[in-house]
Amino acid sequence: MNLHFWLETFNLWVVLVPLLLGYGVGRWLERRHYRSIREREQALRHVLALSTRYVPEGVVAGSAQLVTGGVVISSDYFKTFVAGFRKFFGGRFRGYETLLERARREALLRLKAQAEAAGSTLVIGVRFQSTTIAGSATPSVEIMAFGTALIGTRPPTPAA
Amino acid sequence: MTPPRLENRLPPEDLLERDDHPLRELAWLAGASLALLAVLVLVTGLSARWLAPRLPFKYEVALAERVFDDEKAVVTSADAAAARARRAALQALADRVAAVMALPPGMPVVVSDDPSDLVNAYATVGGRIHVFHGLLRKLDSEQALAALLAHEIAHVKHRHVAANMGHGLAVMLVLSVVMPEGAAQAAQGLLSSAAQLALLGYSRDAERQADSEALAASVALYGHAGGVATLFKVMPQAEDAPAGTAWLRSHPDTVERLAALRAAAAAKGAAMEGAVTALPGVLKALPAAGAPKS
């Protein structure tokens, strides 16, 4: 393995090394994120988020407050590389599906955490919004969840 | 009326664990892409190989004029005179050989020599034939040189050069679309050194065709196949040829070629040996090996 060999194959390594790095690190981070999401979802089970526009029947609220939860999530080199092939062949792209699933769940968790901090256990009218914030080289996306947290509801924890 | 029960359920499991392994997905996609590219390269290359020889020869000539005719003149005037005489002698012999080879009209053959020490010769676009001094030094008779020229002229006559070049350019074109930077440079380099392209080598069938044309021309000119036999013995074997020369990769090996020659000559009723003419003096008095020319 002399210097000449590395120079000759330089273009290959420029692709291969970030690819392996992106795969290894990306997958490790993704696993860790999923673990953390599950834990927090369990911990915040008592806060409900509904998409209904009206206060559910049988619930009386003292006050209401806007709560939001935003997250910016970025693709890794590996996912983007595979996505490049998907441009040709189409089909379901699982790499981005997990990426966006994590983003939505994280955004909802942050919304629930904000609601809990405001003393609410019921958020209604929850909506999601997404914004692309980086170019197509390594795409990033912002997912934001927002809703109306009802404070001082009776009964305090409706059902659940 | 009882109010509806409100609840949020936890997702059953994470998408990450539910799906296909990403590496397998990549393997499939990359494999399919490479297969597609291979098919594309093959189809485009073979189409170009089919098409190029069907284009009029005058386009080849025009390309050759653009590529070769800006060659620098020889440095000193004494050298220049010798070089002119050398070229004239080569050209005269090539014209005699071409005359018996029934070239289609509008297909001129232009021979030049190259001071390189390589034991080789090649035909390139526009009917240009280059003979290296290394080979001239080893050829001892006019018959052998005529056989060599006939072999190269046959590559021109049957448009092997055009087919090879068309193939090479088409493949480069496809690759430059897929991988713009590197391949575009490669294609540009290929065009500017079209001569090198001929060194890529022809198919074995093309070589056999050229060999049989060389035999026919030799017999027509001299009445025997001695020149062709000498030529085959002179051409380097795989072991002692410099790496990267086309002959060792594309030409059938010497023993096989000689056997085929004997069979073909016997079929024609031509002798394997006969009268030998010495090469003209200008072709024997070559400048010192490896002398820089330009």
Side-chain angles (χ1 to χ4, degrees):
Chain A
M1 298 287 161
N2 51 7
L3 182 67
H4 186 69
F5 169 82
W6 294 107
L7 285 176
E8 281 284 286
T9 54
F10 183 72
N11 281 345
L12 184 69
W13 301 114
V14 162
V15 175
L16 221 56
V17 169
L19 202 63
L20 286 172
L21 211 68
Y23 176 73
V25 175
R27 200 156 166 84
W28 177 67
L29 283 178
E30 195 156 52
R31 283 238 166 81
R32 204 179 64 158
H33 190 201
Y34 263 121
R35 229 176 5 251
S36 139
I37 286 176
R38 287 193 151 283
E39 279 164 16
R40 283 176 293 144
E41 273 173 351
Q42 198 64 46
L44 284 167
R45 274 197 85 160
H46 61 282
V47 182
L48 295 185
L50 303 175
S51 63
T52 173
R53 289 167 63 194
Y54 306 105
V55 179
E57 205 181 323
V59 173
V60 181
S63 66
Q65 181 188 320
L66 178 73
V67 282
T68 61
V71 61
V72 174
I73 204 149
S74 174
S75 174
D76 56 56
Y77 192 88
F78 179 83
K79 281 185 165 58
T80 312
F81 185 81
V82 178
F85 285 106
R86 281 286 173 214
K87 275 194 278 194
F88 280 112
F89 293 102
R92 216 185 121 193
F93 184 35
R94 297 168 176 87
Y96 282 176
E97 282 182 0
T98 58
L99 190 76
L100 288 170
E101 196 211 20
R102 280 192 291 134
R104 279 190 302 268
R105 283 165 75 171
E106 180 69 39
L108 195 62
L109 277 171
R110 291 183 183 181
L111 173 137
K112 284 185 175 183
Q114 210 179 74
E116 193 198 31
S120 163
T121 54
L122 178 60
V123 186
I124 61 168
V126 174
R127 301 286 183 271
F128 287 95
Q129 212 166 43
S130 68
T131 318
T132 313
I133 58 165
S136 59
T138 307
S140 304
V141 69
E142 188 213 23
I143 303 278
M144 193 175 75
F146 56 94
T148 306
L150 302 180
I151 297 163
T153 48
R154 274 182 300 117
T157 307
Chain B
M1 201 175 106
T2 50
R5 183 186 153 80
L6 308 177
E7 64 174 331
N8 278 168
R9 287 192 186 170
L10 293 180
E13 57 184 329
D14 301 330
L15 263 182
L16 189 67
E17 309 304 333
R18 202 160 61 209
D19 273 313
D20 226 13
H21 199 279
L23 283 183
R24 195 188 313 166
E25 186 181 12
L26 175 64
W28 268 109
L29 289 169
S33 305
L34 283 179
L36 210 69
L37 182 63
V39 169
L40 197 66
V41 161
L42 200 73
V43 169
T44 319
L46 291 181
S47 311
R49 179 170 281 279
W50 177 87
L51 180 69
R54 283 162 177 78
L55 297 177
F57 193 76
K58 64 177 183 200
Y59 295 127
E60 253 190 68
V61 174
L63 180 62
E65 277 164 4
R66 258 213 323 250
V67 173
F68 300 117
D69 286 357
D70 57 346
E71 275 177 20
K72 291 226 163 57
V74 189
V75 201
T76 63
S77 56
D79 279 357
R84 267 199 301 277
R86 246 191 336 264
R87 274 188 196 204
L90 280 170
Q91 187 65 48
L93 185 56
D95 288 342
R96 276 173 58 207
V97 173
V100 298
M101 287 182 71
L103 291 186
M107 192 182 276
V109 170
V110 179
V111 189
S112 60
D113 57 329
D114 186 306
S116 160
D117 218 19
L118 285 175
V119 182
N120 211 341
Y122 64 93
T124 182
V125 284
R128 305 297 174 110
I129 291 170
H130 293 245
V131 184
F132 293 111
H133 284 183
L135 181 55
L136 274 182
R137 280 194 190 89
K138 293 207 171 188
L139 295 178
D140 51 359
S141 68
E142 184 192 307
Q143 281 74 12
L145 182 56
L148 169 79
L149 291 174
H151 179 101
E152 299 304 338
I153 292 171
H155 282 315
V156 175
K157 177 183 166 185
H158 294 288
R159 309 292 303 271
H160 295 158
V161 181
N164 256 29
M165 180 148 188
H167 193 151
L169 281 178
V171 168
M172 287 299 169
L173 191 70
V174 170
L175 291 183
S176 74
V177 171
V178 182
M179 306 172 266
E181 280 165 47
Q185 273 173 5
Q188 215 168 24
L190 195 78
L191 256 179
S192 61
S193 62
Q196 293 293 317
L197 194 76
L199 289 168
L200 289 178
Y202 304 104
S203 71
R204 293 211 144 204
D205 283 344
E207 292 300 347
R208 288 207 185 87
Q209 198 177 15
D211 279 354
S212 95
E213 287 259 356
L215 170 65
S218 287
V219 172
L221 275 175
Y222 305 108
H224 63 88
V228 190
T230 312
L231 173 68
F232 288 177
K233 284 174 196 151
V234 164
M235 287 320 294
Q237 289 277 6
E239 307 87 68
D240 59 338
T245 53
W247 284 86
L248 67 95
R249 271 179 290 119
S250 65
H251 287 61
D253 70 65
T254 307
V255 180
E256 194 193 322
R257 285 176 96 188
L258 279 172
L261 175 68
R262 254 180 227 111
K268 276 180 181 287
M272 281 300 286
E273 281 174 37
V276 167
T277 322
L279 276 180
V282 281
L283 291 180
K284 289 268 90 179
L286 299 172
K293 187 185 165 192
S294 55

